[in-house]
Amino acid sequence: MAPQMKVPCFAVKDKTAKVERWEFEPAPLQAGDIEIRVTHNGLCHSDVHVAKSEWGPTKYPMVPGHEIVGVVEQLGSSVTHLNKGDTVGFGWNKDCCQHCDACITGNDNVCPEAAATIMGGGKNYGGFAERFRGSGNLAFKIPEAINPAEAAPLLCAGITVWSAIKRYVTRPGMKVGVVGLGGLGHLAIQFLAKAVGAEVYAISHSPSKEEEAKNLGAAHFVGVEDIKDGTLDVVMNTTTGGMDAKQLLQKVGFNGTLIYVGGGSDTIKILAMDLIPAQKQVVGSCVGGRAQMREMFHLAALHNIKPIVDRMPLEQCNEAVDKLMAGKARYRIVLETGDAFAKSNL
């Protein structure tokens, strides 16, 4: 077998999470795989968590990037639903087993054998690279109505909030609180208001965000302490930490749900009697399966739901991470590959 052409990329070598140039030899292209030339990467807080080994031991070098958009350049022999030149995206997973109970019931996002795009170093390298390979079954065609740069954040942030909305916001008119107006929160507000018809309470302590929250579709802009206990049907916490779970749970009424979609490290302290009398529940929600991803993209195109993006060149990925961690991203950083891997820059 002829040797694989090495792929130039940006990688993290240790827990400092500093990104530097590197290159790797890709795994052989399998019959069901495709290779894309990467054009855009959304920068997600999860990239930083994994880079810093905060979600269990990370095997280094680690290549970040799991909101990947690019153009198909190679097709495995069994891939018939895509063509060279198609614009596609990959999200949190680059492959799944296709045969377990989760996969055959449309829950492939929680397949126990799924290959997470940026985890399992040595074989799963993310999108901060010139090229990316993954299963054609986990590649999603980007609708023509959606700009590739704006599509990238939908592949993780968008599907994360849509999956939770699909499962727990079951009828129009439900009162839903969205905690945090960041990368996840500003998309949650749009899907809730435009695609579902919910009455959205944007919960924030940043007065400067009120006008934008209401422009996105929020009917109310409040601090959590301003909401009367039992008012809401659902509270979605999109933040990565620092919120009092018991206080948030008090804001939902009977049969109410507190959803966690931000992957922080806070301990959730809830007593059984905080739940039982009014039949409340606290749940976590993780991205979504292929059917939900297609549905999410369709709704985004139909209702003009799109992230507010802060574009930066890929070679400034360290500066982008610093900006994200300083809370200065508005609201989702998208890294554009451009000529980052042109020979003159290597």
Side-chain angles (χ1 to χ4, degrees):
M1 181 180 294
Q4 299 286 318
M5 183 179 295
K6 288 190 175 182
V7 178
C9 65
F10 290 90
V12 173
K13 302 291 184 68
D14 55 42
K15 292 182 181 180
T16 63
K18 291 299 179 185
V19 187
E20 59 187 83
R21 288 187 181 272
W22 187 57
E23 62 180 15
F24 64 91
E25 185 173 308
L29 192 76
Q30 302 298 317
D33 291 347
I34 67 169
E35 179 177 277
I36 65 173
R37 171 177 51 82
V38 179
T39 60
H40 298 84
N41 278 276
L43 178 60
C44 178
H45 215 122
S46 299
D47 290 309
V48 182
H49 284 304
V50 176
K52 292 185 174 182
S53 204
E54 292 175 346
W55 288 352
T58 294
K59 184 176 180 181
Y60 300 101
M62 170 259 182
V63 179
H66 63 276
E67 295 179 339
I68 311 165
V69 174
V71 178
V72 177
E73 292 200 333
Q74 288 194 62
L75 297 165
S77 59
S78 67
V79 179
T80 59
H81 65 293
L82 296 171
N83 297 297
K84 290 182 179 180
D86 285 347
T87 299
V88 302
F90 283 90
W92 181 253
N93 289 330
K94 59 182 284 187
D95 202 357
C96 59
C97 77
Q98 310 287 327
H99 57 74
C100 70
D101 287 346
C103 285
I104 65 174
T105 57
N107 296 290
D108 45 277
N109 56 302
V110 291
C111 168
E113 297 180 35
T117 300
I118 60 172
M119 301 181 77
K123 60 178 181 178
N124 298 338
Y125 294 126
F128 286 18
E130 181 183 54
R131 293 172 280 126
F132 177 82
R133 290 181 177 181
S135 169
N137 289 321
L138 272 291
F140 300 93
K141 290 188 72 171
I142 304 302
E144 291 185 4
I146 301 178
N147 181 285
E150 295 170 344
L154 296 176
L155 289 157
C156 181
I159 189 58
T160 292
V161 298
W162 174 247
S163 178
I165 292 167
K166 176 81 171 179
R167 188 173 293 114
Y168 299 108
V169 183
T170 56
R171 64 184 187 279
M174 289 181 72
K175 296 180 179 181
V176 182
V178 176
V179 184
L181 185 60
L184 294 172
H186 88 289
L187 286 169
I189 290 171
Q190 293 182 75
F191 278 109
L192 285 162
K194 297 178 181 181
V196 176
E199 182 178 346
V200 182
Y201 290 68
I203 301 173
S204 174
H205 289 99
S206 301
S208 62
K209 295 183 177 181
E210 179 173 2
E211 182 178 358
E212 191 147 60
K214 290 185 174 179
N215 288 338
L216 291 170
H220 312 275
F221 186 88
V222 293
V224 66
E225 68 280 353
D226 299 321
I227 304 172
K228 182 180 177 182
D229 289 356
T231 296
L232 305 177
D233 297 297
V234 173
V235 170
M236 181 186 296
N237 184 10
T238 71
T239 70
T240 57
M243 300 300 299
D244 183 335
K246 190 165 185 174
Q247 183 185 35
L248 293 178
L249 188 64
Q250 289 170 343
K251 304 307 171 184
V252 300
F254 69 93
N255 293 337
T257 304
L258 170 58
I259 311 171
Y260 279 82
V261 294
S265 56
D266 282 2
T267 299
I268 300 173
K269 297 180 179 179
I270 298 291
L271 300 177
M273 290 307 292
D274 295 327
L275 303 172
I276 293 171
Q279 301 179 160
K280 299 179 183 182
Q281 59 181 341
V282 180
V283 301
S285 187
C286 172
V287 291
R290 286 171 289 175
Q292 288 183 345
M293 185 78 87
R294 288 187 179 185
E295 181 180 58
M296 183 269 303
F297 271 117
H298 174 76
L299 290 170
L302 181 65
H303 295 289
N304 195 31
I305 296 169
K306 55 187 179 182
I308 297 171
V309 299
D310 184 353
R311 303 186 189 205
M312 298 178 67
L314 179 59
E315 55 265 42
Q316 291 182 11
C317 44
N318 281 312
E319 292 88 339
V321 170
D322 290 343
K323 190 172 186 178
L324 171 66
M325 299 307 291
K328 295 180 179 179
R330 184 181 173 276
Y331 285 104
R332 202 71 168 183
I333 294 173
V334 173
L335 298 167
E336 299 181 310
T337 305
D339 60 359
F341 300 112
K343 288 185 178 180
S344 60
N345 291 329
L346 297 179

